[in-house]
Amino acid sequence: MKVLSAEDVRRLVPMSTAVDAVRDAFRELAAGNFVLPPRQIFGDGTVLVMSAYHTPTGTAVVKKIGIALDQVPAIRATVIWTGNGEQLVADGGSITTLRTGAVVGVATDLLAQPDATRLTLIGTGAQAADQVRAVLAVRRITRVTITGRSADRATALADQLATEFPEAKVTAGTSINEAIADTDIICCATSSTTPLFDADTLPTTVHVNAIGAFRPTMRELPRNLLTTASVVMVDQREAALEESGEVIDAIANSTLREADLVELGQALATPPTPHGRTVFKSVGVGAQDWAIAAALARS
């Protein structure tokens, strides 16, 4: 049995590798090569169990997640991958943040303008840094603005990322509206239960990723963004309809139809033609965990 720590995960699977692995996994998902049992949710979302089985290779992954938003880190998880006579046990927190960043990289590569150079990150929690790493893996970003409720945490994260990416100017602030008024890409990574901004405050051309709201009662994006975006993409339609507060709200109010949701795997096979504002909403699927675990098993 191979046992890997968070440090091992980071060393063995850099973000560029993770983006490629997750992209391939969504192509496999669209081709029908995964069995994804419904996610088991306990304690109003405080404990989650996800699994995925890849039929061509006969390999599988199971992840147990504990979520406590009042703790640091908020996500504690363990991943078990098995197949081909091997078994791997790895830190699930690092895999979760890495694969969530990676799927944003895949979506951003599909929907953001090719010449995008400005990124705004809303949120300073455990998922935040990998959102930036993923976008910088697929676009030549020269300016990153980080905003959150805590100026100290935003500044600390900005200092960390400025050291990691000296080619980009990284600054911090607490005004969301100022940060998003002049940007090309926005990443939302918060636990908000109300929209973080109004669509009217956004540039006319912008790509927005939202990964933080993972319960039906949570919302990061305003309804009028989902209803006016040229593309609303989700990782998996079924998962979004079950767990995305933004999607559930917009459909319940008849301002968005299920048919309007474009699945990521479908978009990889038939790329959309984005214009104006675009959205990617992710709640996460087991195929992403499988992708990172399989990459670790190969390392």
Side-chain angles (χ1 to χ4, degrees):
M1 180 190 300
K2 185 186 294 186
V3 180
L4 301 176
S5 66
E7 292 74 19
D8 294 329
V9 172
R10 293 290 176 179
R11 175 175 53 84
L12 294 170
V13 184
M15 182 56 77
S16 58
T17 300
V19 171
D20 289 341
V22 168
R23 182 185 290 113
D24 289 343
F26 272 93
R27 289 193 175 111
E28 290 285 283
L29 179 60
N33 290 335
F34 275 104
V35 178
L36 296 180
R39 184 186 331 224
Q40 293 177 287
I41 303 174
F42 306 99
D44 191 30
T46 58
V47 177
L48 309 176
V49 178
M50 303 171 63
S51 58
Y53 176 73
H54 186 236
T55 52
T57 60
T59 57
V61 68
V62 177
K63 181 172 72 173
K64 175 265 178 188
I65 310 170
I67 301 173
L69 298 178
D70 58 346
Q71 296 180 8
V72 178
I75 298 173
R76 301 172 190 268
T78 301
V79 167
I80 301 173
W81 180 92
T82 184
N84 304 321
E86 301 179 58
Q87 184 164 291
L88 177 149
V89 178
D91 173 75
S94 56
I95 288 177
T96 299
T97 58
L98 182 60
R99 60 85 143 159
T100 305
V103 77
V104 160
V106 175
T108 299
D109 202 25
L110 278 169
L111 297 182
Q113 293 298 305
D115 59 352
T117 59
R118 302 166 297 177
L119 167 65
T120 294
L121 170 66
I122 305 175
T124 58
Q127 298 274 9
D130 277 325
Q131 298 295 295
V132 175
R133 294 180 183 121
V135 173
L136 267 66
V138 299
R139 287 293 183 273
R140 295 180 181 273
I141 300 298
T142 59
R143 192 189 79 189
V144 179
T145 304
I146 299 171
T147 182
R149 291 177 298 178
S150 167
D152 289 343
R153 291 184 63 174
T155 299
L157 181 57
D159 291 344
Q160 172 193 335
L161 291 170
T163 300
E164 190 172 340
F165 299 103
E167 69 277 13
K169 179 182 180 182
V170 187
T171 59
T174 55
S175 172
I176 292 176
N177 285 344
E178 288 182 10
I180 65 176
D182 182 28
T183 194
D184 301 308
I185 301 168
I186 299 170
C187 289
C188 305
T190 76
S191 57
S192 182
T193 57
T194 57
L196 298 170
F197 50 81
D198 188 271
D200 292 340
T201 62
L202 294 172
T204 55
T205 299
V206 66
H207 171 61
V208 183
N209 299 300
I211 61 94
F214 55 90
R215 298 172 183 165
T217 55
M218 302 168 75
R219 288 173 64 193
E220 292 184 298
L221 305 181
R223 189 187 304 162
N224 59 346
L225 173 59
L226 295 183
T227 57
T228 57
S230 66
V231 180
V232 178
M233 191 162 68
V234 295
D235 39 19
Q236 186 187 48
R237 187 177 289 110
E238 182 181 359
L241 294 172
E242 183 76 19
E243 300 174 30
S244 169
E246 296 97 336
V247 171
I248 293 169
D249 168 77
I251 290 178
N253 285 275
S254 301
T255 54
L256 188 71
R257 301 172 302 161
E258 291 185 22
D260 295 328
L261 301 175
V262 178
E263 290 191 324
L264 177 53
Q266 170 193 344
L268 287 168
T270 307
T273 305
H275 61 273
R277 297 167 179 167
T278 57
V279 171
F280 173 60
K281 172 60 192 175
S282 175
V283 294
V285 295
Q288 295 166 244
D289 299 305
W290 178 90
I292 304 302
L296 288 168
R298 293 191 297 268
S299 63

